[in-house]
Amino acid sequence: MKITIVGMGNVGKGLFGALQNTSHSVTGAGRGDNLAAAVKGADVVILSTLYDAYADVAKQADFSGKLVVCVSNPVTADFSGLQVGHETSAAEELAKLLPGATIVKAFNTIFASHYDTGLTIGGKPLETFVASDDEGARSVVKSIATDIGLAVRDAGRLKNARYLEPIGFMNIQFGYVLGGGVEIAPQWLAA
């Protein structure tokens, strides 16, 4: 599968490195790169930019027919809260900007540093939550997540991103604001 990562910050680079160790073909597109060309050749586009950049990115390429993974948590500039939440989400707003694309929410609860340390804590794989209105798209992203070593939790419909993004925000609070450090991750346990 051809995967393009748009946004080569810490998370984008981490995903890029993890995907290079799979059978997928992965490319990265950062500032100054030809985004239209990078998106055109992709089966899956992982959007790893700030939420504030979504409107600009949407104008730079044709995302019609693409599976687009929303990784962002729409935190405010001062990290005091979310810009959107509970009545909508970054993923749902992205779907409005890219009406011809299939949107999936995933990877938003994993700190970038985990990509360098094997995506595990204490030998247990980290978990990602995957939400989309398209069951086939959820399956594709769940497979990609498994390929890079993550445990996967099917999070159902895209509107559930309204609840996944606050989990990502709380993880940021625990890690950075409350002093827990970045060697943490949310996990949904079942008996």
Side-chain angles (χ1 to χ4, degrees):
M1 183 169 309
K2 294 179 181 176
I3 301 172
T4 292
I5 299 171
V6 176
M8 294 303 289
N10 292 336
V11 172
K13 286 178 185 173
L15 280 163
F16 184 86
L19 285 163
Q20 282 188 313
N21 295 321
T22 69
S23 63
H24 302 291
S25 170
V26 61
T27 58
R31 287 189 191 124
D33 290 332
N34 183 338
L35 186 55
V39 169
K40 184 177 183 179
D43 301 308
V44 174
V45 177
I46 298 176
L47 189 52
S48 182
T49 67
L50 295 175
Y51 170 67
D52 291 337
Y54 279 11
D56 184 51
V57 168
K59 296 174 190 171
Q60 293 184 40
D62 180 6
F63 290 88
S64 298
K66 301 297 180 184
L67 189 165
V68 179
V69 182
C70 171
V71 177
S72 179
N73 291 307
V75 296
T76 58
D78 65 358
F79 288 86
S80 65
L82 293 171
Q83 296 179 51
V84 297
H86 305 298
E87 294 179 12
T88 189
S89 63
E92 290 168 285
E93 295 303 305
L94 182 61
K96 292 176 189 174
L97 290 168
L98 305 177
T102 301
I103 308 300
V104 178
K105 185 73 186 186
F107 309 118
N108 70 300
T109 59
I110 299 170
F111 284 130
S113 60
H114 288 299
Y115 291 102
D116 293 331
T117 59
L119 295 168
T120 63
I121 294 178
K124 291 184 74 173
L126 301 183
E127 187 169 52
T128 190
F129 308 94
V130 181
S132 178
D133 290 337
D134 185 298
E135 189 174 337
R138 277 199 316 266
S139 293
V140 168
V141 175
K142 290 187 317 186
S143 177
I144 292 168
T146 301
D147 290 345
I148 63 172
L150 292 169
V152 179
R153 175 76 51 184
D154 190 316
R157 302 208 46 205
L158 190 63
K159 74 176 186 177
N160 289 335
R162 300 174 188 182
Y163 313 109
L164 296 177
E165 291 169 3
I167 292 171
F169 173 73
M170 198 64 226
N171 195 43
I172 292 166
Q173 291 295 301
F174 284 136
Y176 290 105
V177 178
L178 300 172
V182 295
E183 294 307 314
I184 60 172
Q187 197 90 353
W188 199 268
L189 302 175

